[in-house]
């Protein structure tokens, strides 16, 4: 009686396991991508459309630009998504790991500063003001310290984690040095956490890629930035013509040379992202490349394919 | 004349040589190997934590790590004081124990002293259901239901705060504390209670002055176990309590626990070799040591206060 | 002989007020106990109702048949649900034999005098208290990187096995202990070897207890998130999982959906939570049923 029970359980388990081993339509090696959580949604959308078109699987992780490079240079991934160019240390890492790569600019971003939609006092901040808020050792804890005309509302900061390319780019552009930032803010590689944080607190201020703002316009408000030529609001146009300064930035996908050469699917996926740039970017709420930028990248692609 | 009876010494007893059953020996060895897997696991945990952590401590002094009050390990101007994380962890654990312990013991007393057979038969499985709820569901509940609720009733909590996480964690621990306490109370012999009733004590007095003290070792064990589980809890705090390492005792604020730091930083990948990689192990080691110590304390306490009944 | 008369001290009847206050204190106490029950069960009810109400709109075939997507209208949890089931099967297949064998060793074979056996016992107790995220760190270091298996289903299954192994061992030991010694002695008396006693007498009698313990441990493994996050259950996996392929499990998928502030993803997260709850609670119900049905009276 009891042995029958045990046998039944064991048999069921084995059946499920065998099904796991044999099953799965996504058989052939999936293309692996990892890296920036800013670029992530774009590559994910491209992967979805690519799967529908060519039935090839792409997995997308969001370890952050830095984390992505670590894996990429260890040879673990085919593609590395980055919201800033590869830096010196990472170049060395890749060289040490024997990983060669091709850099593709796939989409543009307008790094957006957001506040809660109930924030009715701030509309535009200058780079100097942002710097005062975010610099290392900053003691700014309340809005009226940013601008005396603002109310005395506690300033709650949310931002990108240090493994994030967004962090590197933002600190470089606003604080003058990549990585230089105050540390007493809610830092996360996952921009959704920042969205939630800022939309939940009247006095909150945060920053992330434009697409995250576009997705959440009902609870967030984007601030205009004065980079020296007056207040400019982030938008597709101002990002493309780079009048939204200094926070419009290119976003990249780095492709492992060996994957590019040996795996036709990888080549096709890269081509797909370039050919369908406008539709994918718009759907994922990114700033698409301009015509000439696309042409540039395609030329690069052709060059690498020979 | 009677014959002298001569008793001969019986020949010394010789048993046939014991046949070694090789099958039995093999079984014994195989079973030992199975048991050794658990030892290998511990060894693995210790090694996987210790080696990189030692590496970390070569770069950062243990003193700075253990006493520093700023946790900003990944910034240019790095600080490696683990105190904010530890404070965050203990704030949450303490608050959740505040919820779980009285309620858990209350439930246990009710089940053991007041409830009838039928009621117990219904309530105990329900408690088990509460214990079975995955922590990710609880974390989701804390963030999307409890936090807005707290804001609605006027408590000015931040979107990520220690209070929601603690409340939900506390409720999650009630079954653990209740079941252990109830077992301890059930082990108290009927005679002690009957003696109390015979002397005219009422239920309140019997419960609080006889049963609880008699079961105290089990109740203490329950408390320490519950607290230790709160310390080790990751997902609920990761979702609902936030990622801002600061020293605060205000439960309405955002904090970061040791487990949340590990979970958030290890999300997806740990870049090898960098200082970030090593912080995870340093914090992980701290966490492991704390829970180990608590476990040992609980074993000690149980042994010390255990009442032996016939 | 004189009867010594003792003055019976004049007994004051207990004053009305003190009796009343006692009654009140008792009532208050009982109310407090009931309150505790109410909080525990009330929270459970509220949680279930909230999850059902929020998640119901997203409970449709799509959830089970479609892969996740950046668009909530098209997202489903198929790879995650499948992976969870496979992980569960893996855990069962690995943890039960090892756990049961360990329990048999500790209960039937180990000589308590020997220090290494006592060490194994204490060791298992300690392992049960280790936070699950530490197992994740272990998994990352040794299984994903060390053996080089990578971020695959198999690795996830191994780690979850280690997480629940102490629970299985403890439950199996309880089951074995509850088998009366007379059974063993009877078998020995008839000339059985140790292994024969264990295999043919003790184990069959202990199976229901072991089954219950195993299923409960399994339901815990299925709900674990932290260790899987550490060993790379990736964000976006759009294909069915394979034993040595990339994967994401249901709890991790829920976690990812919860983080998205878009309210449509909240609905999805709640729906996913519902599915997970159904899986976990079914397992628990089966375990309880087994326990009650096969409970032997010795």
């Amino acid at each position: 009686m009891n042995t029958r029970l045990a046998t039944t359980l064991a048999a069921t388990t084995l059946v499920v396991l065998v099904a796991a081993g044999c099953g799965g339509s996504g058989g052939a090696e999936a293309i692996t991508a990892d890296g920036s959580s800013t670029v992530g949604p774009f590559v994910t959308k491209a992967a979805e459309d690519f799967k529908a078109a060519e039935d090839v699987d792409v997995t997308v992780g969001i370890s952050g630009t830095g984390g992505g490079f670590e894996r990429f240079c260890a040879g673990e991934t085919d593609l590395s998504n980055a919201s800033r160019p590869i830096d010196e240390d990472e170049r060395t890492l890749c060289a040490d790991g024997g990983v060669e790569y091709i850099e593709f600019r796939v989409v543009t971003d307008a790094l957006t500063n957001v506040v809660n939609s109930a924030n009715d006092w701030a509309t535009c901040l200058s780079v100097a003001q942002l710097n005062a808020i975010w610099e290392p050792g900053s003691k700014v804890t309340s809005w009226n310290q940013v601008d005396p005309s603002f109310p005395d509302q506690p300033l709650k900061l949310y931002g990108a984690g240090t493994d994030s390319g967004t962090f590197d780019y933002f600190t470089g552009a606003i604080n003058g040095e990549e990585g230089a930032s105050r540390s007493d803010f809610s830092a996360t590689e996952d921009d959704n956490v920042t969205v939630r944080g800022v939309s939940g607190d009247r006095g909150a201020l945060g920053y992330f890629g434009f697409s995250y703002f576009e997705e959440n316009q009902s609870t967030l408000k984007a601030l205009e930035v004065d980079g020296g030529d007056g207040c400019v609001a982030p938008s597709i146009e101002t990002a493309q013509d780079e009048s939204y300064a200094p926070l419009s930035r290119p976003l990249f996908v780095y492709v492992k040379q060996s994957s590019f050469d040996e795996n036709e699917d990888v080549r096709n996926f890269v081509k797909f992202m370039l050919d369908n740039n406008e539709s994918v970017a718009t759907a994922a709420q990114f700033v698409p490349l301009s015509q000439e930028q696309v042409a540039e990248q395609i030329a690069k692609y052709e060059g690498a394919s020979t | 004349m009677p014959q002298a009876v001569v008793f001969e010494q019986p020949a010394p007893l010789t048993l046939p040589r014991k046949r070694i059953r090789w099958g039995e020996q093999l079984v014994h060895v195989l079973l030992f190997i199975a048991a050794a897997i658990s030892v290998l696991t511990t060894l693995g945990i210790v090694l996987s934590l210790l080696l990189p952590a030692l590496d970390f401590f070569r770069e950062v002094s243990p003193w700075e790590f253990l006493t520093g009050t700023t946790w900003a390990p990944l910034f240019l101007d790095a600080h490696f004081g683990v105190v904010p994380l530890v404070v965050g962890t203990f704030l949450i654990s303490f608050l959740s124990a505040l919820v779980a312990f009285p309620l858990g013991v209350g439930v246990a007393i009710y089940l053991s002293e007041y409830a009838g057979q039928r009621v117990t038969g219904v309530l105990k499985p329900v408690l088990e259901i509460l214990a079975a709820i995955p922590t990710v569901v609880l974390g989701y509940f804390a963030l999307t239901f409890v936090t807005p609720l707290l804001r609605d009733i006027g408590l000015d909590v931040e979107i990520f705060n220690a209070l929601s996480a603690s409340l939900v964690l506390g409720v999650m621990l009630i079954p653990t504390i209740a079941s252990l306490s109830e077992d301890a109370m059930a082990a108290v012999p009927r005679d002690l209670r009957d003696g109390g009733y015979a002397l005219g004590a009422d239920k309140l007095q019997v419960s609080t002055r006889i049963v609880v003290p008699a079961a105290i070792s089990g109740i203490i064990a329950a408390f320490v176990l519950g607290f230790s589980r709160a310390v080790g809890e990751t997902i609920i705090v990761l979702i609902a309590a936030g990622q801002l390492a600061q020293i605060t005792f205000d439960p309405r604020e955002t904090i970061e626990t040791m487990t949340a730091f590990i979970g958030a930083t290890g999300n997806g990948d740990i870049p090898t070799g960098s200082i970030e990689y090593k912080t995870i192990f340093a914090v992980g080691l701290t966490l492991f040591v704390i829970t180990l110590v608590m476990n040992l304390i609980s074993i000690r306490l149980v042994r010390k206060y255990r009442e032996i009944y016939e | 002989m004189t009867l010594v008369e003792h003055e019976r001290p004049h007994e004051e009847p207990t004053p009305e007020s003190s009796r009343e206050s006692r009654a009140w204190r008792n009532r208050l106490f009982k109310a407090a106990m009931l309150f505790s029950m109410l909080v525990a069960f009330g929270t459970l009810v509220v949680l279930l109702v909230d999850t059902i109400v929020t998640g119901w709109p997203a409970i449709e075939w799509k959830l089970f048949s479609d892969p996740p997507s950046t668009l909530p209208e098209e997202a489903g949890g198929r790879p995650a649900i499948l992976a969870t089931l496979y992980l569960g099967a893996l855990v069962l297949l690995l943890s039960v034999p090892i756990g049961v064998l360990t329990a048999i060793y500790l209960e039937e074979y180990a000589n308590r005098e020997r220090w290494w056996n006592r060490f194994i016992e204490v060791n298992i107790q300690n392992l049960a208290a280790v936070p699950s995220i530490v197992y994740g760190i272990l998994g990352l270091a040794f299984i994903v990187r060390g053996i080089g298996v990578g971020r695959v289903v198999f690795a996830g299954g191994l780690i979850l096995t280690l997480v629940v192994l102490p629970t299985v061992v403890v439950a199996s030991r309880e089951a074995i202990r509850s088998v009366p010694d007379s059974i063993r002695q009877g078998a020995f008396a008839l000339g059985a070897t140790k292994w024969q006693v264990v295999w043919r007498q003790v184990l069959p009698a202990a199976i229901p207890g072991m089954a219950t313990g195993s299923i409960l441990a399994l339901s815990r493994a299925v709900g674990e998130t932290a260790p899987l996050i550490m060993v790379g259950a990736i964000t976006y996996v759009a294909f069915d999982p394979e034993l040595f392929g990339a994967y994401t499990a249901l709890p991790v998928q829920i976690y990812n959906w919860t983080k998205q502030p878009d309210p449509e993803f909240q609905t999805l997260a709640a729906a996913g939570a519902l599915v997970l709850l159904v899986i976990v609670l079914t397992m628990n119900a089966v375990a309880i049923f087994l326990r009650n049905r096969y409970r032997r009276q010795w």
Side-chain angles (χ1 to χ4, degrees):
Chain A
M1 179 85 236
N2 287 340
T3 20
R4 221 179 61 196
L5 170 68
T7 330
T8 324
L9 286 174
T12 326
T13 317
L14 273 168
V15 166
V16 178
L17 215 63
V18 169
C22 303
S25 55
E29 284 295 305
I31 304 176
T32 46
D34 197 351
S36 163
S37 76
T38 305
V39 186
F42 173 80
V43 179
T44 305
K45 185 77 185 79
E48 269 179 56
D49 294 348
F50 190 61
K51 167 93 179 175
E54 309 265 341
D55 196 27
V56 173
D57 293 309
V58 183
T59 63
V60 184
I62 49 163
S63 313
T65 303
F69 275 126
E70 294 284 351
R71 293 188 66 199
F72 184 68
C73 294
E76 290 178 29
T77 53
D78 299 308
L79 308 173
S80 199
N81 307 328
S83 59
R84 58 152 171 82
I86 188 171
D87 69 26
E88 208 44 66
D89 294 329
E90 286 153 355
R91 255 188 275 262
T92 321
L93 200 63
C94 275
D96 290 343
V99 171
E100 295 183 352
Y101 55 84
I102 317 162
E103 172 191 285
F104 286 101
R105 175 179 174 168
V106 292
V107 82
T108 308
D109 178 38
L111 225 175
T112 312
N113 294 286
V114 289
V115 293
N116 191 286
S117 48
N119 179 324
D120 52 10
W121 56 86
T123 40
C124 175
L125 290 180
S126 68
V127 174
Q129 284 174 316
L130 283 172
N131 177 244
I133 295 174
W134 288 100
E135 65 184 348
S138 165
K139 297 278 175 258
V140 176
T141 48
S142 145
W143 279 97
N144 60 2
Q145 290 172 300
V146 178
D147 184 321
S149 67
F150 291 159
D152 184 14
Q153 173 86 20
L155 179 65
K156 297 284 179 199
L157 294 173
Y158 293 85
T162 52
D163 218 13
S164 156
T166 306
F167 175 79
D168 292 330
Y169 189 86
F170 185 81
T171 48
I174 298 289
N175 293 334
E177 186 188 356
E178 258 191 34
S181 163
R182 71 193 289 178
S183 56
D184 54 342
F185 66 98
S186 287
T188 171
E189 265 74 34
D190 184 352
D191 296 320
N192 284 307
V193 175
T194 306
V195 171
R196 204 187 264 283
V198 176
S199 45
D201 194 326
R202 192 156 169 260
L205 171 69
Y207 64 87
F208 43 52
F210 188 61
S211 71
Y212 286 89
F213 163 67
E214 285 273 274
E215 292 263 338
N216 297 285
Q217 292 202 50
S218 52
T219 47
L220 299 175
K221 180 172 117 177
L223 292 179
E224 300 176 5
V225 174
D226 182 352
D229 291 324
C231 293
V232 182
S235 76
I236 295 192
E237 295 75 33
T238 57
Q240 266 186 346
D241 65 19
E242 293 180 16
S243 58
Y244 178 68
L247 295 177
S248 49
R249 55 175 181 158
L251 298 179
F252 305 95
V253 170
Y254 287 79
V255 185
K256 189 162 74 176
Q257 184 77 53
S258 54
S259 306
F260 190 81
D261 293 335
E262 294 155 27
N263 191 336
E264 192 186 350
D265 291 329
V266 171
R267 282 201 297 279
N268 291 343
F269 184 56
V270 175
K271 189 87 188 334
F272 185 84
M273 284 195 284
L274 295 175
D275 288 341
N276 300 283
N277 194 273
E278 173 111 35
S279 63
V280 174
T282 320
Q285 303 188 308
F286 278 83
V287 178
L289 299 175
S290 66
Q291 299 287 40
E292 5 173 288
Q293 288 166 334
V294 173
E296 253 183 75
Q297 297 303 315
I298 296 216
K300 198 181 229 185
Y301 171 84
E302 305 290 343
S305 310
T306 44
Chain B
M1 199 120 94
Q3 277 245 308
V5 180
V6 179
F7 287 108
E8 270 192 24
Q9 278 287 59
L13 202 58
T14 48
L15 290 169
R17 226 194 70 190
K18 181 172 172 184
R19 216 176 71 227
I20 301 177
R21 290 175 169 266
W22 291 110
E24 291 288 313
Q25 293 293 78
L26 186 66
V27 163
H28 193 126
V29 167
L30 283 177
L31 290 180
F32 184 74
I33 292 178
I37 289 183
S38 66
V39 178
L40 282 176
T41 310
T42 307
L43 201 66
I45 292 179
V46 170
L47 279 180
S48 68
L49 287 176
L50 208 58
L51 297 178
L54 284 178
D55 214 3
F56 174 80
F57 286 121
R58 234 166 294 181
E59 290 189 40
V60 177
S61 85
W63 182 250
E64 185 199 334
F65 180 73
L66 290 172
T67 60
T69 55
T70 310
W71 181 253
L74 315 171
F75 289 83
L76 211 59
D77 180 27
H79 291 276
F80 295 94
V82 81
V83 172
L85 293 182
V86 175
V87 168
T89 302
F90 278 94
L91 178 66
I92 297 245
S93 308
F94 183 67
L95 285 175
S96 57
L98 217 63
V99 167
F101 190 64
L103 293 179
V105 173
V107 167
I109 294 180
Y110 186 79
L111 285 176
S112 117
E113 306 298 316
Y114 286 82
Q117 275 288 60
R118 252 193 343 167
V119 176
T120 312
V122 160
L123 295 180
K124 283 195 98 164
V126 177
L127 264 184
E128 280 189 56
I129 293 180
L130 189 58
I133 298 187
T135 50
V136 70
V137 177
L138 290 171
Y140 165 81
F141 182 65
L143 183 67
T144 59
F145 186 85
V146 179
T147 300
L149 182 69
L150 290 176
R151 289 180 150 196
D152 284 343
I153 64 173
L155 280 169
D156 188 23
V157 294
E158 306 206 26
I159 192 83
F160 298 111
N161 64 85
L163 188 58
S164 304
S166 305
L167 289 176
V168 171
L169 184 54
V171 171
M172 176 188 112
L173 292 173
I174 290 181
T176 308
I177 296 193
S179 77
L180 275 176
S181 306
E182 204 242 331
D183 282 347
M185 289 182 206
V188 174
R190 269 203 71 89
D191 326 359
L192 287 179
R193 291 186 184 81
D194 290 344
Y197 287 126
L199 289 171
D202 53 47
K203 239 185 183 129
L204 163 65
Q205 291 168 322
V206 168
S207 306
T208 55
R209 304 229 200 147
I210 298 181
V211 179
V212 167
I216 199 75
S217 86
I219 296 179
I220 291 180
F223 175 76
V224 177
L225 182 68
F227 194 84
S228 146
R229 286 188 61 188
V231 164
E233 172 50 42
T234 309
I235 295 299
I236 298 181
V237 291
L238 190 54
I239 295 182
Q243 275 155 241
L244 180 58
Q246 59 171 346
I247 301 183
T248 174
F249 295 101
D250 181 353
R252 299 169 308 173
E253 297 206 30
T254 315
I255 50 117
E256 187 172 35
T257 62
M258 292 186 277
T259 47
F261 172 74
I262 299 175
T265 316
N267 192 353
D269 179 51
I270 308 174
T272 32
S274 68
I275 197 74
E276 179 183 72
Y277 180 65
K278 298 173 201 167
T279 52
I280 296 189
F281 294 84
V283 177
L285 184 66
T286 316
L287 181 67
F288 180 68
V289 167
I290 292 181
T291 46
L292 197 71
V293 166
M294 280 200 277
N295 193 39
L296 293 176
I297 290 180
S298 120
I299 296 179
R300 254 312 149 72
L301 280 178
V302 167
R303 228 181 283 157
K304 183 172 174 197
Y305 286 102
R306 190 201 302 262
E307 301 271 355
I308 312 293
Y309 301 106
E310 347 88 63
Chain C
M1 229 167 41
T2 19
L3 271 175
V4 179
E5 256 195 26
H6 288 275
E7 261 296 320
R8 235 259 202 97
H10 179 61
E11 284 206 11
E12 291 281 341
T14 332
E16 225 9 82
S17 54
S18 135
R19 244 189 294 140
E20 238 181 60
S21 75
R22 239 178 94 166
W24 267 113
R25 270 187 294 139
N26 269 272
R27 253 173 255 152
L28 221 63
F29 187 67
K30 185 166 184 185
M33 302 300 110
L34 273 174
F35 176 71
S36 314
M37 301 287 293
L38 212 68
V39 169
F41 300 124
T43 312
L44 178 64
V45 168
V46 170
L47 173 83
L48 288 176
V49 167
D50 178 58
T51 311
I52 294 178
V53 164
T54 319
W56 191 249
I59 298 279
E60 34 185 0
W61 188 239
K62 177 165 63 69
L63 184 65
F64 299 93
S65 65
D66 285 357
S69 159
T70 44
L71 301 168
E73 312 85 66
E74 291 181 29
R78 182 183 150 114
I81 296 176
L82 281 177
T84 293
L85 292 175
Y86 296 158
L87 284 172
L90 254 179
V91 169
L92 206 60
L93 211 65
L94 290 174
S95 67
V96 170
I98 301 179
V100 167
L101 290 179
T102 306
I104 294 177
Y105 177 77
L106 287 173
E107 287 296 312
E108 304 285 332
Y109 281 79
N111 182 349
R112 295 280 160 77
E113 305 293 308
R114 300 272 183 260
W115 68 268
W116 54 80
N117 290 324
R118 285 205 301 271
F119 178 67
I120 294 180
E121 280 202 31
V122 172
N123 190 41
I124 293 185
Q125 267 188 304
N126 283 331
L127 280 180
V130 170
S132 59
I133 196 154
V134 174
Y135 283 100
I137 300 181
L138 166 69
L140 187 66
F142 281 116
I143 301 181
V144 171
R145 288 252 167 85
I147 320 183
V149 178
R151 294 141 189 275
V152 296
V153 179
F154 184 65
L158 270 185
I159 293 152
L160 288 180
T161 304
L162 291 179
V163 172
V164 301
L165 197 57
T167 315
V168 176
V169 171
V170 168
S172 304
R173 287 186 74 179
E174 289 288 332
I176 293 177
R177 249 185 254 166
S178 70
V179 175
D181 226 19
S182 48
I183 304 265
R184 295 186 187 80
Q185 300 298 341
F188 278 126
L190 291 171
T193 65
K194 190 146 201 163
W195 180 244
Q196 286 171 332
V197 171
V198 167
W199 184 247
R200 297 197 193 213
Q201 297 299 328
V202 178
L203 261 192
I207 281 182
M210 291 183 183
T212 309
S214 306
I215 296 180
L216 287 175
L218 180 67
S219 94
R220 187 179 148 208
V222 155
E224 279 288 342
T225 324
L228 292 180
I229 291 182
M230 298 294 286
V231 295
I234 311 174
T235 315
Y236 176 71
V237 172
F239 48 87
D240 292 351
E242 272 188 28
L243 201 55
F244 284 94
Y247 68 107
T248 186
L250 189 52
V252 180
Q253 186 69 73
I254 298 173
Y255 170 62
N256 280 321
W257 280 335
T258 308
K259 285 197 292 175
Q260 316 252 15
D262 186 343
E264 296 205 32
F265 276 111
Q266 292 311 306
T267 314
L268 265 176
L274 257 182
V275 174
L276 185 62
L277 276 175
V278 166
I279 295 178
V280 165
L281 294 180
T282 310
M283 285 191 213
N284 276 46
V286 169
I288 295 179
F289 168 74
L290 282 178
R291 186 207 297 160
N292 289 340
R293 169 102 185 273
Y294 288 95
R295 199 203 304 261
R296 289 270 282 270
Q297 297 301 337
W298 294 103

